[in-house]
């Protein structure tokens, strides 16, 4: 048990029961010239998460903590893509169409892959998710059960969409989520701030909000005895 400074109060990290979950750090969302930018978003706003995430990922790997990655996307035949999602936004180019980095949000295409700085290593589960939440239509719940995980350190993009949906899904499954402010990002800074406030409000209605430095320090610190 190691305490991590967080809102609304310290998060009691149990590294052996915790996993790092990195949401959708994919080229199409983050890199200039990808799908995110094509939709008119300022992708540079997500780039600030990369350096702290690299440090956190190194610390988690060094500690032996389970690291899991997600990718939002669909099978090449789009059989897992709801029509409602395909046509949302009334764009001329949509999911499955040729985009700047291959077919948009299709598994196996360059833009769908995780950015090089945070690339998964052997043994780290990569969860392909067709929805915004990481639990819907994925193996994440089974993985969490198999590994005895009760806490998730949640990072990635975007704060108010895939991170928030996943945290809400996890919370309803009895998982405690610590969301890291410096390792999550949004195309809309005000959404990022409010999304994090929503998580920690009302005594931590959806979880906790901290910083990567707190987790890195906790992973390096000796364990504290559990409170009686
Ligand atoms: N990963 C994720 O958040 N997917 C999105 O579509 N996010 C947006 O903010 N659009």
């Amino acid at each position: 048990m190691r305490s991590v400074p967080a809102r609304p109060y310290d998060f009691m990290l149990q590294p052996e029961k915790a996993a790092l979950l990195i949401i959708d750090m994919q080229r199409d969302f983050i890199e200039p010239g990808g799908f995110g930018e094509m939709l008119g978003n300022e992708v540079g706003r997500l780039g600030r998460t990369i350096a702290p995430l690299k440090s956190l990922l190194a610390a988690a790997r060094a500690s032996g903590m389970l690291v899991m990655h997600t990718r939002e996307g669909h099978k090449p035949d789009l059989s897992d893509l709801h029509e409602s999602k395909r046509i949302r936004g009334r764009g001329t180019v949509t999911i499955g169409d040729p985009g700047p980095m291959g077919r948009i949000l299709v598994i196996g295409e360059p833009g769908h892959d995780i950015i090089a700085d945070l690339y998964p290593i052997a043994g780290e589960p990569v969860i392909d998710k067709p929805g915004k939440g990481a639990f819907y239509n994925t193996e994440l719940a089974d993985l969490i059960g198999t590994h005895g995980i009760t806490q998730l350190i949640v990072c990635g993009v975007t704060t108010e969409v895939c991170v928030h949906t996943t945290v809400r899904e996890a919370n309803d499954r009895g998982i405690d989520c610590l969301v890291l402010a410096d390792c999550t990002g949004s195309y809309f800074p005000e959404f990022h701030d409010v999304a994090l406030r929503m998580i920690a409000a009302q005594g931590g209605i959806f979880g906790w909000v901290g910083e990567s430095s707190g987790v890195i320090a906790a992973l390096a610190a000796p364990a504290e005895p559990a409170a009686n």
Side-chain angles (χ1 to χ4, degrees):
M1 191 83 78
R2 304 163 195 211
S3 62
V4 177
R7 290 179 274 146
Y9 50 86
D10 286 359
F11 184 81
M12 299 312 292
L13 179 66
Q14 295 180 273
E16 68 288 352
K17 293 185 178 177
L20 175 61
L21 182 64
I22 305 179
I23 309 265
D24 298 358
M25 291 296 287
Q26 294 162 255
R27 298 183 61 198
D28 249 336
F29 292 128
I30 291 156
E31 291 185 0
F35 179 51
E37 191 171 73
M38 200 183 81
L39 292 177
N41 294 305
E42 270 193 49
V43 293
R45 292 202 164 121
L46 307 187
R48 50 168 264 285
T49 64
I50 297 171
L53 253 170
K54 270 181 85 169
S55 303
L56 177 69
L57 183 56
R61 285 172 175 163
S63 77
M65 177 179 282
L66 176 66
V67 176
M68 299 184 284
H69 307 256
T70 72
R71 302 186 297 195
E72 180 177 352
H74 301 273
K75 296 175 182 169
D77 66 2
L78 305 183
S79 57
D80 56 358
L81 174 62
H82 292 302
E83 181 67 1
S84 62
K85 183 176 179 183
R86 196 183 69 77
I87 64 172
R88 186 71 52 80
R90 298 179 172 173
T92 48
V93 179
T94 186
I95 296 168
D97 290 343
M101 293 189 199
R103 289 181 71 201
I104 293 164
L105 291 191
V106 169
I107 295 167
E109 300 289 335
H112 171 267
D113 212 353
I114 293 171
I115 60 170
D117 277 332
L118 303 173
Y119 211 74
I121 59 173
E124 293 177 352
V126 178
I127 296 147
D128 283 316
K129 62 184 190 57
K132 302 304 181 193
F135 286 84
Y136 168 68
N137 216 351
T138 74
E139 66 277 29
L140 181 57
D142 286 345
L143 272 170
I144 283 175
T146 304
H147 288 272
I149 299 299
T150 61
Q151 301 182 331
L152 289 174
I153 299 165
V154 186
C155 303
V157 298
T158 63
T159 318
E160 78 280 12
V161 181
C162 292
V163 170
H164 232 263
T165 307
T166 299
V167 166
R168 289 169 185 239
E169 287 180 322
N171 185 57
D172 280 350
R173 287 166 170 80
I175 307 288
D176 286 331
C177 291
L178 172 62
V179 182
L180 301 184
D182 56 336
C183 294
T184 49
S186 169
Y187 300 123
F188 307 93
E190 69 275 25
F191 289 177
H192 174 76
D193 292 341
V194 173
L196 295 179
R197 283 172 53 198
M198 287 166 74
I199 289 167
Q202 302 184 67
I205 192 90
F206 296 130
W208 286 256
V209 177
E211 300 279 339
S212 59
S213 55
V215 176
I216 292 170
L219 290 176
E224 298 163 18
N228 288 324

